[in-house]
């Protein structure tokens, strides 16, 4: 899928919600989707950073985006319904979600893992995608070709020592994709898939591997073909799968 070439107008007239859109992969995905015609809704907790991405998109002449500020660690069913209401009132539709927001937590043995940190990681990485998707499903069902993309990891395929709540949350994401795609298969055109970005040049990666040369891993821009494929119409009919944005290295994680 790295060789996929998206049409310039691949996402024209589509409304896409991107969480964690203020930095890293989320920021690049927002810019890339906007460049391919999408109206992107930038969701995150740092309004200043979201505004900076907003300005980049507008300056480039792409469709005017929107900003929704929400701390996903505190996301409730009520706050997610408010997000759905704003999107419905403003756009009247939603054609896709990229659940990109995630936190690393601690890399430490389970017996030393702080329970409060565990809860924080699980809230952002697993509970938020569940409760936000649940609130947005009625809007997604109105789209003729909706796509939900969640972010997994190699440690979500097989949890590894010391990766704690991050690994377990990503195992949950893999299960959530499988379950929801199965539930929707016979009743909706919504497709649900996961992406494991692999080792990518982000702040999270730097926290996990502080001694690594950042130039040794791919920049987020290099991963975008897969994101465009899954969010666009060319992946119609593909659901319940987990994709690797790049070859998985046995000694690392994404």
């Amino acid at each position: 899928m790295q060789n996929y070439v998206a049409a310039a107008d691949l996402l024209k007239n589509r409304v896409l919600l991107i969480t964690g859109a203020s930095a890293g992969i989320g920021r690049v995905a927002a810019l890339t989707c906007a460049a391919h015609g999408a109206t992107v809704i930038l969701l995150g907790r740092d309004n200043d950073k979201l505004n900076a991405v907003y300005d980049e998109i507008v300056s480039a002449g792409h469709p005017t985006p929107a900003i929704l500020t929400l701390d996903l660690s505190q996301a409730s069913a009520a706050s997610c319904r408010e997000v759905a209401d704003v999107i419905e009132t403003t756009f009247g539709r939603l054609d896709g979600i990229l659940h990109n927001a995630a936190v690393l937590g601690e890399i430490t043995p389970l017996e030393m893992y702080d329970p409060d940190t565990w809860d924080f990681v699980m809230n952002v990485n697993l509970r938020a995608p569940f409760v936000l998707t649940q609130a947005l499903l009625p809007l997604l069902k109105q789209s003729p070709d909706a796509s939900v993309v969640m972010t997994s990891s190699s440690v979500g395929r097989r949890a590894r020592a010391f990766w704690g709540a991050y690994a377990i949350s990503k195992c949950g994401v893999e299960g959530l994709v499988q379950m929801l795609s199965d539930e929707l298969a016979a009743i909706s055109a919504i497709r649900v898939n996961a992406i494991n970005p692999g080792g990518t040049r982000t702040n999270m990666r730097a926290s996990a591997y502080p001694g690594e040369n950042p130039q040794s891993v791919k920049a987020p821009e290099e991963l975008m073909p897969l994101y465009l494929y899954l969010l666009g119409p060319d992946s119609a009919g593909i659901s319940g799968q987990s994709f690797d944005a790049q070859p998985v290295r046995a000694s690392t994680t994404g």
Side-chain angles (χ1 to χ4, degrees):
M1 199 52 60
Q2 290 173 286
N3 296 323
Y4 173 73
V5 178
D9 62 349
L10 178 78
L11 302 176
K12 185 178 179 180
N13 298 325
R14 292 189 181 229
V15 178
L16 303 178
L17 175 67
I18 299 177
T19 73
S22 61
I25 292 173
R27 171 186 164 275
V28 172
L31 293 168
T32 303
C33 289
H36 284 79
T39 297
V40 293
I41 304 168
L42 311 169
L43 188 147
R45 62 180 180 176
D46 190 319
N47 200 57
D48 289 341
K49 290 183 178 180
L50 292 174
N51 272 302
V53 180
Y54 179 102
D55 290 344
E56 284 188 80
I57 292 172
V58 171
S59 296
H62 304 319
T64 303
I67 290 176
L68 289 173
T69 305
L70 179 65
D71 183 349
L72 291 176
S73 70
Q74 304 295 321
S76 64
S79 64
C80 290
R81 283 195 298 269
E82 289 177 6
V83 168
D85 289 344
V86 170
I87 294 173
E88 183 170 25
T89 300
T90 306
F91 300 104
R93 61 182 300 175
L94 184 65
D95 301 296
I97 309 171
L98 171 57
H99 288 289
N100 167 77
V103 291
L104 179 63
E106 301 176 353
I107 299 180
T108 191
L110 184 68
E111 63 180 332
M112 299 173 63
Y113 208 100
D114 175 59
D116 290 337
T117 301
W118 183 281
D119 290 343
F120 176 73
V121 173
M122 296 298 285
N123 281 343
V124 174
N125 294 5
L126 183 57
R127 187 180 187 279
F130 149 63
V131 71
L132 191 55
T133 300
Q134 184 183 61
L136 293 169
L137 274 174
L139 270 177
L140 291 167
K141 287 179 178 178
Q142 295 177 35
S143 171
D145 182 38
S147 174
V148 177
V149 177
M150 300 195 185
T151 303
S152 184
S153 168
S154 61
V155 297
R157 310 274 180 75
R158 187 186 188 285
R160 294 206 299 273
F162 312 124
W163 282 88
Y166 182 81
I168 301 307
S169 69
K170 295 304 182 180
C171 288
V173 164
E174 291 276 337
L176 182 57
V177 166
Q178 295 164 17
M179 180 186 71
L180 183 57
S181 64
D182 202 30
E183 290 179 359
L184 295 173
I187 62 171
S188 170
I190 301 170
R191 55 193 184 276
V192 187
N193 295 287
I195 292 177
N196 164 30
T200 311
R201 204 177 306 156
T202 62
N203 290 336
M204 181 185 291
R205 178 75 183 189
S207 297
Y209 296 93
E212 180 181 71
N213 178 0
Q215 300 303 314
S216 69
V217 293
K218 291 186 179 294
E221 288 82 357
E222 298 177 77
L223 312 184
M224 287 302 110
L226 178 58
Y227 285 80
L228 290 169
Y229 174 72
L230 290 178
L231 289 168
D234 291 339
S235 58
I238 296 175
S239 191
Q241 297 191 33
S242 185
F243 293 85
D244 293 319
Q246 54 183 309
V248 178
R249 296 185 292 179
S251 61
T252 188
T253 188

